[in-house]
Amino acid sequence: MSRNNKGLAHRGSRIYALLMVVTAILTVSVAFILRPHHMKTKTTSQCGKASWYSLTSQTSGGEMIESATLTAAHLTLPMGTTVLVTNLANDKSLTVQINDRGPYAQNRLIALSKAAATELDFIQSGATHVRISVASEFRKYLIGHNCK
């Protein structure tokens, strides 16, 4: 290659690199501008006592409870509802999915899987006071257990 051709090749690779950098910056900028903006969902809450399932329980559908999953039972929320549960004794929170009916013990708001109770740190006591929060669209399913 002649000296003149080497200079053109070198200049071409610089232009190519510059174009790649500009393309990357534009791509990231457009992705940032056009990303869906996260809107806060309005929630509604209940407060009350939570307990956890025994390991040999079955759901109302007849399935065995899987103690390693983050699931719960509630008397009125639809199956599949996502619920934020906060242990009011230690402020630990987690999200569970309703997959069963219950609890049927008097004055109990929700029954949680062993995994959920472990994360909320109330396995030893067996029960704790919690606040559950759901999207406002599920307000009609929450009866009583108002938070103070």
Side-chain angles (χ1 to χ4, degrees), residues 73 90 93 103 120 125 127 137:
N90 60 20
S93 295
L120 291 173
S125 64
E137 65 191 82

Side-chain angles (χ1 to χ4, degrees), residues 21-33:
V21 168
V22 169
T23 302
I25 291 170
L26 285 172
T27 302
V28 170
S29 298
V30 168
F32 180 78
I33 292 167

Side-chain angles (χ1 to χ4, degrees), residues 1-49:
M1 236 188 217
S2 72
R3 191 172 167 174
N4 201 15
N5 286 343
K6 283 184 182 178
L8 287 175
H10 183 66
R11 191 175 337 144
S13 64
R14 281 185 172 173
I15 291 171
Y16 177 75
L18 182 62
L19 284 173
M20 293 301 292
V21 168
V22 169
T23 302
I25 291 170
L26 285 172
T27 302
V28 170
S29 298
V30 168
F32 180 78
I33 292 167
L34 296 179
R35 80 176 193 267
H37 295 281
H38 298 287
M39 293 174 34
K40 287 202 173 206
T41 304
K42 290 188 177 184
T43 60
T44 190
S45 300
Q46 280 186 314
C47 292
K49 204 163 203 177

Side-chain angles (χ1 to χ4, degrees), residues 80-125:
T81 303
T82 300
V83 179
L84 175 66
V85 182
T86 302
N87 183 342
L88 297 176
N90 60 20
D91 285 330
K92 291 184 179 183
S93 295
L94 62 84
T95 302
V96 297
Q97 188 170 28
I98 301 299
N99 74 336
D100 197 8
R101 290 287 160 238
Y104 296 104
Q106 188 177 16
N107 295 323
R108 296 287 165 91
L109 174 61
I110 194 167
L112 300 162
S113 65
K114 184 176 183 183
T118 299
E119 285 197 35
L120 291 173
D121 198 21
F122 73 95
I123 288 289
Q124 296 300 321
S125 64

